[in-house]
Amino acid sequence: MALNPSFATHRIGRATAAHTLELYLDLICPFSEKQLMGVRKYLVPLIESNETVGQNLQIILRFRTRCAAKLLSRGTLRAHLSTKPCLACPRSLPSRARLRATVMLPPSRPLRHSSSCFKDGVLADTITLQAFYDEPCAKESPNATRERLADLAAEVGVDRAKYIEATKVGKSNGGTPVTPDLKLAIKYGRQNGVHVTPTVALDGLIDGSISSSFTDADWKKYLLEKVLPPGSKL
């Protein structure tokens, strides 16, 4: 699958792998958290330690924002979202800011090393997902939320000053420097018919058989049936 260079750290595994599993995730969705935590616990170790799995499967994380998906599904603000994805939604700032943090991660700290993009806001392990829900964010200014996210970004190796600069609001109504990345992420999911998160696709085709509740045994069965060459063993 094609991957914009801006999202290079969103690939887990080898770009030359025979198959690609795409995870469409909302950065503040508890079910997306569950999906990614399961993948990190059961699937990523197989990719990194099993040569057969590593040759045959890579994972690409495709981040989306729930607010934009909801508005699109309801048919509201469609023209607006075609050029500027839901920048005023209460969920938008945390999503945009977290997306920027994942993009700015050093090559030595790709996303596979994080507990998740969720419990810690931006890949740290110090706060919970709920800290960036609508209610706590509504009680502070966008700049205060941005400052909290910047602290977390710094904990995982992102330059704090550069992060603040990359997420600050620009002139007039132009959004932030991360807006182009957010547009790319939303447009990619929209053109592929992704309306809910989490959604998982294998080689470009959405596979509804994959559950966020998949266990180690479930993932191994899936790999043997749909990914690995016949006769493979795990």
Side-chain angles (χ1 to χ4, degrees):
M1 295 290 110
L3 183 63
N4 188 290
S6 295
F7 306 124
T9 56
H10 295 190
R11 184 193 309 276
I12 299 173
R14 308 171 191 174
T16 57
H19 300 281
T20 301
L21 195 71
E22 295 175 285
L23 304 180
Y24 292 89
L25 305 170
D26 175 359
L27 289 169
I28 42 180
C29 166
F31 295 102
S32 290
E33 176 189 9
K34 184 178 181 181
Q35 181 79 74
L36 184 58
M37 293 295 283
V39 166
R40 182 181 183 274
K41 182 177 181 179
Y42 303 121
L43 193 55
V44 172
L46 289 174
I47 292 175
E48 296 183 335
S49 64
N50 187 299
E51 182 64 18
T52 300
V53 178
Q55 290 178 347
N56 284 278
L57 186 68
Q58 64 170 312
I59 298 172
I60 295 179
L61 304 180
R62 306 282 192 185
F63 292 125
R64 291 178 56 73
T65 58
R66 189 188 314 178
C67 51
K70 280 185 176 181
L71 287 170
L72 282 171
S73 65
R74 293 171 183 172
T76 58
L77 296 182
R78 188 173 299 275
H80 177 68
L81 288 172
S82 66
T83 57
K84 182 185 294 184
C86 203
L87 302 182
C89 176
R91 295 183 180 275
S92 180
L93 173 60
S95 295
R96 282 181 284 151
R98 294 182 200 192
L99 179 61
R100 173 53 65 183
T102 63
V103 169
M104 293 177 68
L105 280 173
S108 61
R109 295 292 303 275
L111 294 182
R112 67 175 178 271
H113 292 300
S114 67
S115 294
S116 75
C117 300
F118 303 89
K119 283 191 174 179
D120 44 278
V122 194
L123 315 174
D125 296 315
T126 55
I127 64 171
T128 63
L129 167 67
Q130 289 77 14
F132 289 95
Y133 274 4
D134 288 351
E135 183 180 3
C137 289
K139 295 179 179 179
E140 63 185 8
S141 71
N143 283 338
T145 302
R146 187 178 291 106
E147 289 288 336
R148 288 198 291 134
L149 286 164
D151 291 338
L152 294 168
E155 292 182 14
V156 296
V158 174
D159 185 286
R160 191 183 191 283
K162 291 182 178 179
Y163 175 85
I164 290 292
E165 182 68 20
T167 57
K168 72 177 183 179
V169 176
K171 295 181 179 180
S172 185
N173 197 33
T176 72
V178 77
T179 298
D181 290 329
L182 180 63
K183 286 182 179 180
L184 286 175
I186 291 177
K187 288 178 179 179
Y188 188 88
R190 189 167 65 201
Q191 77 170 9
N192 292 327
V194 176
H195 302 297
V196 297
T197 58
T199 292
V200 184
L202 179 65
D203 296 334
L205 297 178
I206 294 175
D207 190 341
S209 70
I210 297 177
S211 169
S212 60
S213 299
F214 260 26
T215 64
D216 180 56
D218 293 326
W219 277 117
K220 288 180 177 178
K221 180 181 178 182
Y222 184 85
L223 292 176
L224 291 171
E225 292 180 351
K226 297 190 176 183
V227 175
L228 302 181
S232 299
K233 294 183 180 181
L234 291 175

